[in-house]
Amino acid sequence: MTRYNVAELLNSTNFSQEVNLKGWVRTFRANRFIALNDGSTINTIQCIVDFENTDQCILKRITTGAAISIKGILTESLGKGQNVEIQITEIEILGDSNPEEYPIQPKKHSFEFLRENAHLRIRTNTFSAVMRVRSALSFAVHKYFIKNGFYNFHAPIITGSDAEGAGEMFNVTTLDANNPPRNEAGKIDYSKDFFGKLTNLTVSGQLEAETYAMALGKVYTFGPTFRAENSNTTRHLAEFWMIEPEVAFNNLDDNMDLAEDFIKSVISYTLKNCKDDLAFLDDRLAQEDKLKPALERSEMSLIEKLKFIVDNNFIRVSYTEAIDILKNSTPNKKKKFQYLIEEWGTDLQSEHERFLVEKHFKCPVILYDYPAKIKAFYMRLNDDGKTVRAMDVLFPGIGEIVGGSQREERLDVLQQKMKDLGIDEKELWWYLDTRKFGTAVHSGFGLGFERLVQFTTGMGNIRDVIPYPRTPQNAEF
Ligand code: 4AD
Ligand code: MG
């Protein structure tokens, strides 16, 4: 007998055939109706127990969370809310689940409680929907780039350079923390360490990706990155996945076009391929929204928001224009911003980014041409000598989702910049080589994958869109 999954059977009209399926009990009602889920879809299939001919001991063991195997006849359902059901002919308990101890009971659990039970939370509707959408987005990312002639580049995770400056790094060492070797000056002697130098977990694969773009033309990374910042926010993780395309001969405008087209493409993929999960998440968000004060409620439903992104152009605004808008904005004049915008050159906080996107433009925004002082050393200096060809994509409810730039391709300008910032050329000799041998205009960006999953699923906290979040003071599981 063929084993089917729930998704297949729910779409089948092949009635009267005998089928086998395995899964976990979600609920068991009236000693008769099992709602069975196997992860293949958010939906459960109703399986009807032949009460008279089933052993009492077996009936007792059909509890929420138990793993079971069922044989039965697929039949058209007369009940509301489902098209098919299974009339069980044989049932086997594969793994019991003691109802007294099983934490995931069929009721509403808080996200805090579920985070403490992250190994079991995937058995709830919300988390299984989020993680199926995450998986679909991941596939859509690879699909987009491969279809558009990019090569997937695996950036190293352990890195010997810390020059990117994107954030605090985690050291990687095998030295004995209690008794490390020391040099004459009393400092830890990393030449005795595993790699013969101090190494870290990477904050970004960009610098290495640039070297590959300068030979393969178009590359992208999609891997874990690490930042040891002590940021306890709903948007920051210490370990997150980043997608970083890098393209030779692309300028900043090409880079903005790529970012916009890429984001639209992957979101559009989920609209087509994750219908049931998105419908569930749309409903979940609507219910959550109802509990909020009227002013904080969202004007659009989740699916409307996703469609809006796909169907509308992102607005492109220079940093200088944005500062003017912010300076003259009501929250700035009424001193409602925590950080008031007083002069050109200040870094934007997420309250400012969200004002621009959610209140002013009501649309995703790409800010470009930032002051050189607040951006990384590798961004291309504009002719004005004070701004660089940087771009950030800002999203409603999220703030910055993408950060990128056209890279400084002129060796002398790059060297001068590094000198000004005290970055040792010896550390980045290989990076500078790309500017010595066949240098060319090139650009790229980084998209935080979890922020994309957050936006697409409407989840409020980034810890709820990655299986096992790593944040300050938290690395359980
Ligand atoms: O803006 P960032 O720091 O840019 C870079 O790392 C560049 N090297 C990218 C490039 O040009 N190739 O980070 C890129 C994106 C951010 O826009 C944000 O979406 C995400 O990564 N991000 C984080 N996501 C979760 N937790 C954190 N701590 C994050 N820090 C950045
Ligand atoms: Mg950034």
Side-chain angles (χ1 to χ4, degrees), residues 106 175 190 217:
L175 294 180
Y190 286 103

Side-chain angles (χ1 to χ4, degrees), residues 257-297:
D257 292 343
L258 176 66
E260 185 169 340
D261 189 53
F262 163 61
I263 295 175
K264 286 178 171 170
S265 161
V266 296
I267 290 181
S268 153
Y269 179 88
T270 62
L271 281 168
K272 284 194 198 99
N273 293 280
C274 304
K275 288 206 169 86
D276 289 349
D277 288 320
L278 288 179
F280 174 85
L281 292 166
D282 185 273
D283 192 47
R284 187 203 76 78
L285 196 63
Q287 285 175 28
E288 193 182 88
D289 235 29
K290 269 190 216 146
L291 304 174
K292 289 184 185 162
L295 269 177
E296 285 171 35
R297 278 181 217 153

Side-chain angles (χ1 to χ4, degrees), residues 213-227:
M214 297 316 284
L216 295 178
K218 300 195 219 178
V219 298
Y220 73 102
T221 73
F222 186 175
T225 48
F226 307 86
R227 299 197 183 173

Side-chain angles (χ1 to χ4, degrees), residues 227 375 379 391-392 400 402-404 446 451:
R227 299 197 183 173
K375 289 289 181 186
M379 297 189 181
M391 60 170 229
D392 276 4
E400 179 190 335
V402 161
R451 293 192 186 175

Side-chain angles (χ1 to χ4, degrees), residues 390-403:
M391 60 170 229
D392 276 4
V393 180
L394 313 178
F395 254 45
I398 301 285
E400 179 190 335
I401 195 163
V402 161

Side-chain angles (χ1 to χ4, degrees), residues 179-226:
N179 188 21
R182 294 188 184 272
N183 58 22
E184 277 157 20
K187 294 239 166 79
I188 295 178
D189 183 2
Y190 286 103
S191 70
K192 304 248 163 55
D193 203 347
F194 188 92
F195 295 107
K197 63 192 292 198
L198 177 62
T199 51
N200 302 292
L201 292 178
T202 188
V203 292
S204 154
Q206 177 198 322
L207 302 193
E208 289 88 353
E210 280 187 54
T211 65
Y212 264 55
M214 297 316 284
L216 295 178
K218 300 195 219 178
V219 298
Y220 73 102
T221 73
F222 186 175
T225 48
F226 307 86

